[in-house]
Every structure is written in C-alpha cells, then in structure tokens.
Amino acid sequence: MKPIKIKIDKVKNNPNNPRIIKDYKFDKLVKSISEFPEMLKLRPIVVDEDNIILGGNMRYKAAVKAGLTEIYAIQADGLTEKQKKEFIIKDNSSFGEWDWDLLANEWQNKDLKDWGLDVWQPEEEIDYSVLDEIDVEEQINTMYEQTKKSIILEYPAKDFEPIKKMYDELKTKEVDLSDLFYKAMQNYEA
C-alpha cells in the first residue's frame, strides 16, 4: 500500500484510541513534525474506509497543531471491527527496547531529547554532602517505631466461629479492638 496525500480535515480522530500523550511530549512531537514534515510520508497515518484513524492519532493531532493542511495516509479497507481494534493496540505496542550504549555513542543527547526520547541527563550537579548530616540508623529506628505492628492470635478450630462472630459484632460497633485487647491483657493476672 502506498500512502496517499489527503486533506487533513477529511481525517477523523478515533474516539476509542486508548493511547494518550503528555503535554511536554506532545509539544516535542509538534516541533518534530514542524521541522521534518516529510517524516509523515515515511510514517503515514493509517485510516479505515471512513477515514477514522487506526494508527497515528498523536501524529495527526500534532500535524493539526503544526498547521499542516494535508497529511499522508494509508487506507486499510475491508478490516472487521475486531481487526480494527486489534490493529489499534498492536500499532501502539512497543515490543523492543532501546540499545542505550549505541544511542549514547552514535547520537547526541540533545537531539534525542528534542526528538522525543527520554534521555537521562543530569540538569545540574547534585550536592550529596547534606546526606552526611543524616543519622541513617536513627531514621530507620524512627520509621520502625512509627510503623503499625500486628499480633496474630490462633484459636482451635472449634472455638474459631464464636470468636469470629464476637469480633465481627465489635467491629460493627466501631470498637477499637487493639485497645480492647491491650486493656484486657493489662487486667490479666498471671
């Protein structure tokens, strides 16, 4: 199938597209399409026979925002509704992963970032010396003291149902069971 050029206002956005794009990434896509609109001929929008987008919703939206009046599309005729739904998901699935070593050695981080790839790059030097002032052991002990703890009570099978019934009744009355148990233990004489 060869891409055809069609008026952008003839293409219909797909309301059932499950893919979204965040504002800053969308802005990068708009910039990318504005600077390199020929990319859309190489990676056209896929539409059905009613010109509803099956693949390329974000590229379409970015092309509209970039002010393009025409767009390249491939029309996928004769697909069943199930096949259309399947295409929408499969077209947006990312099966591969980036080879970060190759990217680092062959491309500039700035270019990759401008083209929409999230690249790790420290914005500024981070001063870790403030960590020297933190007493890690004290922080761990504080977290431990503030964490809820639990005790598991075990009952013989024959006693479980009546105890569970009492427990459930007390919970419905919003009784603080941990406090009730604690007071009962304090009053118990060994």
Side-chain angles (χ1 to χ4, degrees), residues 104-122:
N105 291 318
E106 297 294 325
W107 283 270
Q108 296 296 316
N109 273 357
K110 183 188 178 317
D111 289 338
L112 294 172
K113 202 171 185 180
D114 287 346
W115 298 338
L117 188 63
D118 289 329
V119 181
W120 180 84
Q121 189 172 12

Side-chain angles (χ1 to χ4, degrees), residues 30-175:
V30 171
K31 182 179 183 234
S32 175
I33 287 173
S34 296
E35 292 173 352
F36 185 33
E38 298 82 11
M39 177 185 82
L40 294 174
K41 185 175 184 180
L42 303 170
R43 188 118 189 266
I45 306 298
V46 178
V47 296
D48 68 7
E49 55 278 343
D50 297 318
N51 286 339
I52 296 173
I53 300 172
L54 299 177
N57 276 284
M58 301 310 138
R59 292 191 309 277
Y60 165 75
K61 287 179 181 179
V64 169
K65 183 151 187 188
L68 300 184
T69 57
E70 294 181 317
I71 197 164
Y72 286 94
I74 292 178
Q75 196 161 51
D77 294 323
L79 296 178
T80 66
E81 286 304 312
K82 185 175 190 270
Q83 288 172 322
K84 289 177 186 180
K85 284 183 169 186
E86 184 177 345
F87 181 86
I88 289 168
I89 297 302
K90 286 184 175 180
D91 183 59
N92 285 301
S93 295
S94 299
F95 294 107
E97 295 179 26
W98 293 107
D99 181 334
W100 293 104
D101 290 334
L102 185 63
L103 284 172
N105 291 318
E106 297 294 325
W107 283 270
Q108 296 296 316
N109 273 357
K110 183 188 178 317
D111 289 338
L112 294 172
K113 202 171 185 180
D114 287 346
W115 298 338
L117 188 63
D118 289 329
V119 181
W120 180 84
Q121 189 172 12
E123 296 293 327
E124 59 186 61
E125 245 343 274
I126 298 172
D127 180 12
Y128 289 104
S129 66
V130 295
L131 296 177
D132 295 337
E133 300 169 14
I134 297 174
D135 183 347
V136 176
E137 191 171 320
E138 180 183 330
Q139 292 292 324
I140 291 171
N141 287 337
T142 301
M143 285 190 292
Y144 176 78
E145 289 168 8
Q146 293 173 352
T147 304
K148 285 187 174 184
K149 315 288 186 297
S150 62
I151 295 173
I152 297 174
L153 302 174
E154 295 179 0
Y155 298 96
K158 65 179 180 56
D159 297 335
F160 178 76
E161 286 305 321
I163 291 171
K164 172 82 168 91
K165 184 178 177 187
M166 278 192 286
Y167 173 84
D168 290 340
E169 285 176 22
L170 291 170
K171 273 188 80 168
T172 60
K173 295 177 182 173
E174 297 183 11
V175 173

